[in-house]
Amino acid sequence: MMTKPGRFIVVEGLEGAGKSSAIATIRRWLQQRQLTVVCTREPGGTPLAEKLRTLVKQVDNTEILAPQTELLLMYAARVQLLSNVIRPALSRGDWVLADRHDMSSRAYQGGGRQLDEQLINNLRSTVLGNTRPDLTLYLDIDPAVGLSRAAARGELDRIEQEQLTFFVRTRQKYRQIAATEPDIITIDASQPLAQVQQAITEALQSHFAGHSDD
Ligand code: T5A
């Protein structure tokens, strides 16, 4: 019997957008349908990629991380995760639920850091190949609101310490991508949690209607 390929769902958004709560909602929804779910986070998700995560998040006062280095580290971590976790899971027929993926690099390094789009696109085609998300839920939040939620949790990491204008550019890029790509659904993450959860459930229902029959 042929195994049905799994599906790939990504949750995206600025810091404090509510990605962790969204992941919990989606995970419940999938498990209620007896689907096997593999959760990932980026950068990270394999032993090596987790080491790269530490490098990009830690505040290091001895050497400034060049924007291009940051970009390459994100894609290095992504190659590891795709090869060792995401692709094997999808071929087993599992569903992959990702806390950030490629859209983060396009928004943060492309929008926030203003790195060359052609450079990013070259990396994308090399690293991603044909593995693309079936659905991306982009949680849209005003950066000031998101950052204040993140700050309430404690110390800010290296990227969270950027100026507000960096996050304004990142959000602009997120919104620009979301407006042009059909498999990305934008959710207003400034709403109360219950309404955000409701919007997420509706998006899953409409996108994967009848998935168990296909
Ligand atoms: N990065 C990552 C890149 O630059 N390029 C890349 O390619 C990739 C993959 C990763 C960092 O790396 C950058 C982006 C990031 O800077 P991270 O820790 O994985 O770092 O990501 P963060 O966005 O920093 O994670 P956060 O935990 O801050 O964001 P979440 O998960 O969106 O926030 P969450 O769910 O923990 O919520 C934060 C707080 O807000 C509350 C929650 O209860 C929580 O206290 N909250 C709400 N409050 C009111 N109303 C709502 N609707 C709420 N939803 C959540």
Side-chain angles (χ1 to χ4, degrees), residues 15 18-20 57 78 100 105 108-109 153 160 191:
E15 358 288 293
K19 293 180 292 300
S20 310
K57 288 190 66 130
R78 189 159 299 133
R100 298 189 179 279
S105 298
Y108 282 79
Q109 281 67 51
R153 260 190 341 223
E160 287 166 347
Q191 304 175 92

Side-chain angles (χ1 to χ4, degrees), residues 61-72:
N61 295 323
T62 58
E63 187 176 357
I64 292 172
L65 197 66
Q68 288 86 349
T69 310
E70 182 181 84
L71 175 74
L72 293 169

Side-chain angles (χ1 to χ4, degrees), residues 41-59 65 69-81 84 157-159:
R41 69 170 182 182
E42 291 194 34
T46 79
L48 177 60
E50 285 293 321
K51 288 183 188 159
L52 299 177
R53 177 184 178 88
T54 305
L55 284 180
V56 295
K57 288 190 66 130
Q58 76 190 1
V59 179
L65 197 66
T69 310
E70 182 181 84
L71 175 74
L72 293 169
L73 288 174
M74 297 298 179
Y75 278 97
R78 189 159 299 133
V79 175
Q80 287 301 116
L81 186 68
N84 297 349
D157 67 31
R158 186 184 60 87
I159 296 177

Side-chain angles (χ1 to χ4, degrees), residues 6 8 10 17 31 33-34 41 62 68 82 92 121 125-126 130 136 148 151 155-156 167 180 197:
F8 185 12
V10 177
Q31 286 172 340
R33 283 153 185 80
Q34 277 73 51
R41 69 170 182 182
T62 58
Q68 288 86 349
L82 279 162
R92 285 194 305 271
N121 283 338
S125 61
T126 307
N130 293 328
T136 298
S148 73
E155 227 170 88
L156 299 177
F167 295 101
T180 54
Q197 286 171 337

